[in-house]
Amino acid sequence: MPRSSRSKRSIADTISLSSAMDELTDALDAGLDLNADDASSIGSDSEINGVTASRQTDKYGFISGAHFTGESEELSTEVLRQREMKWIEMMKNWEKWILKKHKKVRLRCRKGIPASVRSAGWPTLCAGAIKKQENKGVYQQLHQEPGERHWLDAIEKDLHRQFPFHEMFLSREGTGQKDLYNILKAYTVYKCDEGYCQAQGPVAAVLLMQMPAEDAFWCLVQICELYVPGYYSQGLEAVQLDGQVLFSLLRKVSAVAYKHLKKHQVDPLLYMTEWFMCLFSRTLPWATVLRVWDMFFSEGVKVIFRVALVLLKVSLGTSEKLKDCQGLVETLEKLRNIPPRFLQENFIIQETDCDRVFCEFREDCLRSPTRSTFRL
């Protein structure tokens, strides 16, 4: 390739990466438009240890905002208890299940891990529990280290962005934000060559909603090192690579969406950065987030690809859907405002359970020297 062409491509990549990071920051700030009443009360001393008695939370701990679910359908008590017992029994004999019955484990993850066992289920699935056992006392040591000042300042600046409408993260003086700060700081000490990335905040916060801080830390380590290696490194090379893999897959899954994005030169980084780096925690309704993460811990990053392909197809997959998408700006706006019915857990799970998409994903990944499929 001529030097001038390489130079132009390098400039284009830099612009796309910069735009993608700006989009990510905007997305993290999107939930911070508090009205005057909320702004005056959230984070007050009376809420340091949780919400006030007058505030109503949903079953996940949200008081309002995009993730607030209100009333939702519940599984029958009998079905829920049966699933809980199956998971408890399975985790007692985990080595046997993971070696000989991994397809059954995957099926149970797709059905959804019961909330009562998720705090143990996720660390078991990702081997964060093993990592913790092999590194006894390490998290406490990392916690005591002073850390690099520039990373600490960056973490401190981002704390208020992480699910500000969740009861755990209402106040800087509350245990939620304190634990989140400690986890992210510990990671910068643990991986001093990598440091802190803004997108790690939401990921760590989701983990912290489900389990104690030390368990959340080792799950974060596993996500960063095993599930999405390179996603949070400077330059985001792995994210850029997976953006190209996603675009290649889209050509097979939805030619209409592929041609539209190509025609208007919509770089994958402009719409998939937040999806992939935050593992959809900032995009989907909370019940869907948890179901996607259940599958993610079981099957790996291919789950994130599957969900992304579903969202692209339902948003841009027909000529009818593209009538009001005449350019890059309109296209990005459409992807930011996907109709709620396409984000519900039952729809997403059903649409991602597609062997054809998996086979195509596997073929593309095997051709890539830097991305391999994740197997349970």
Side-chain angles (χ1 to χ4, degrees), residues 159-174:
L159 284 179
H160 73 290
R161 293 184 166 117
Q162 314 312 332
F163 307 105
F165 294 107
H166 192 277
E167 59 182 347
M168 283 186 64
F169 304 109
L170 294 176
S171 169
R172 180 63 185 93
E173 300 304 316

Side-chain angles (χ1 to χ4, degrees), residues 248 252 360 362-371:
S248 176
K252 301 172 182 178
E360 291 168 350
R362 191 163 182 258
E363 290 170 4
D364 276 70
C365 287
L366 289 176
R367 284 195 289 268
S368 171
T370 54
R371 163 66 72 199

Side-chain angles (χ1 to χ4, degrees), residues 5 14 70 72 101 103 134 140 198-199 201 204 294 300 325:
S5 297
T14 300
S72 60
K101 299 183 179 182
K103 290 184 179 179
E134 292 174 345
Q140 288 73 20
Q198 191 176 42
D294 289 345
C325 270

Side-chain angles (χ1 to χ4, degrees), residues 49-316:
N49 293 314
V51 297
T52 62
S54 62
R55 288 192 182 276
Q56 182 180 359
T57 65
D58 66 8
K59 65 179 181 179
Y60 302 113
F62 290 96
I63 60 174
S64 63
H67 289 108
F68 182 77
T69 58
E71 295 298 321
S72 60
E73 251 185 75
E74 300 282 352
L75 290 172
S76 71
T77 302
E78 182 180 354
V79 171
L80 185 58
R81 291 291 175 262
Q82 287 177 354
R83 290 188 181 180
E84 287 173 342
M85 294 307 298
K86 287 179 180 178
W87 269 92
I88 291 171
E89 183 61 30
M90 188 167 64
M91 288 189 291
K92 285 181 181 177
N93 302 280
W94 186 250
E95 188 173 348
K96 180 190 77 173
W97 279 85
I98 202 67
L99 292 176
K100 298 181 179 181
K101 299 183 179 182
H102 65 271
K103 290 184 179 179
K104 189 71 172 179
V105 176
R106 186 165 64 239
L107 178 60
R108 289 182 178 177
C109 289
R110 288 181 181 179
K111 289 182 178 179
I113 303 174
S116 60
V117 297
R118 191 172 275 126
S119 63
W122 285 1
T124 301
L125 282 165
C126 73
I130 295 176
K131 199 88 169 176
K132 174 185 173 183
Q133 184 68 22
E134 292 174 345
N135 294 274
K136 289 183 177 180
V138 170
Y139 175 71
Q140 288 73 20
Q141 293 173 12
L142 296 170
H143 181 280
Q144 297 301 321
E145 293 290 330
E148 295 288 340
R149 186 71 257 169
H150 65 287
W151 293 130
L152 302 186
D153 290 342
I155 293 169
E156 183 74 43
K157 184 176 67 175
D158 286 343
L159 284 179
H160 73 290
R161 293 184 166 117
Q162 314 312 332
F163 307 105
F165 294 107
H166 192 277
E167 59 182 347
M168 283 186 64
F169 304 109
L170 294 176
S171 169
R172 180 63 185 93
E173 300 304 316
T175 56
Q177 285 200 33
K178 286 182 178 179
D179 283 344
L180 181 58
Y181 176 86
N182 290 334
I183 290 171
L184 296 173
K185 186 196 82 168
Y187 188 83
T188 66
V189 179
Y190 180 79
K191 294 285 287 187
C192 56
D193 57 326
E194 187 173 302
Y196 166 73
C197 174
Q198 191 176 42
Q200 289 173 313
V203 174
V206 175
L207 294 169
L208 197 54
M209 291 180 201
Q210 308 301 319
M211 63 193 74
E214 185 175 5
D215 295 337
F217 171 77
W218 290 114
C219 285
L220 177 65
V221 168
Q222 292 296 86
I223 288 172
C224 296
E225 293 185 348
L226 179 63
Y227 285 76
V228 289
Y231 268 31
Y232 307 111
S233 301
Q234 190 172 10
L236 310 182
E237 290 87 356
V239 179
Q240 296 185 66
L241 172 63
D242 280 0
Q244 296 307 314
V245 173
L246 176 67
F247 195 51
S248 176
L249 287 173
L250 182 63
R251 184 176 189 175
K252 301 172 182 178
V253 174
S254 177
V256 173
Y258 172 84
K259 290 176 181 177
H260 176 80
L261 292 171
K262 186 174 183 179
K263 175 183 177 181
H264 295 289
Q265 299 181 332
V266 185
D267 192 289
L269 283 177
L270 296 177
Y271 56 83
M272 57 78 70
T273 302
E274 183 196 5
W275 292 356
F276 277 57
M277 294 184 71
C278 298
L279 307 179
F280 287 105
S281 63
R282 306 289 306 197
T283 307
L284 302 172
W286 201 249
T288 313
V289 170
L290 295 177
R291 291 287 299 279
V292 168
W293 279 48
D294 289 345
M295 295 191 301
F296 170 72
F297 278 119
S298 167
E299 302 175 55
V301 73
K302 67 188 178 192
V303 171
I304 305 303
F305 278 86
R306 286 177 173 181
V307 175
L309 289 169
V310 170
L311 298 187
L312 288 168
K313 186 175 181 179
V314 299
S315 300
L316 309 171

